[in-house]
Amino acid sequence: MPILRPALCSFVYIVEYGDTLYSIARKFNTTVSIILYFNPNINPNAIYPGQTIFIAESPPEAIIYTVKQGDTLYSIARRYGTSVQNLIIFNYLSSPDLIFEGQQLVVTPSLR
């Protein structure tokens, strides 16, 4: 398996009591899918206190966008003043043509 490298900085987070992947993603301005991408061996339904999880940081000005029906990476990039390439990089998309309704994406509006 190739070494997965985040676009920016990264760190290890130790799961606390009451954490969920969703709450951790919100805390660090990222998405559950990105957490799972960098932690392929964790069970998303069974994290536990003391478990270590690798977190890839998003740029501080990034927002989390939920894909709507009819969205494309191009339309999202245009709406937020970024590039399709940034969406691909910061969401670790291997198939950029395969985004789906309800998917959450890190959007970097000020990066061009």
Side-chain angles (χ1 to χ4, degrees), residues 23-91:
S23 69
I24 294 168
R26 286 185 53 111
K27 182 186 285 188
F28 296 110
N29 199 29
T30 190
T31 67
V32 171
S33 62
I34 291 173
I35 292 174
L36 291 173
Y37 180 81
F38 285 104
N39 298 277
N41 296 327
I42 64 172
N43 178 344
N45 300 311
I47 63 170
Y48 53 87
Q51 182 177 16
T52 57
I53 296 178
F54 186 77
I55 304 291
E57 289 188 275
S58 299
E61 69 278 3
I63 61 166
I64 304 302
Y65 176 78
T66 302
V67 176
K68 295 173 181 53
Q69 184 176 2
D71 279 342
T72 64
L73 289 183
Y74 178 76
S75 67
I76 296 166
R78 245 182 114 185
R79 184 177 309 132
Y80 289 98
T82 191
S83 69
V84 169
Q85 188 63 30
N86 278 344
L87 292 174
I88 292 168
I89 290 170
F90 286 100
N91 290 283

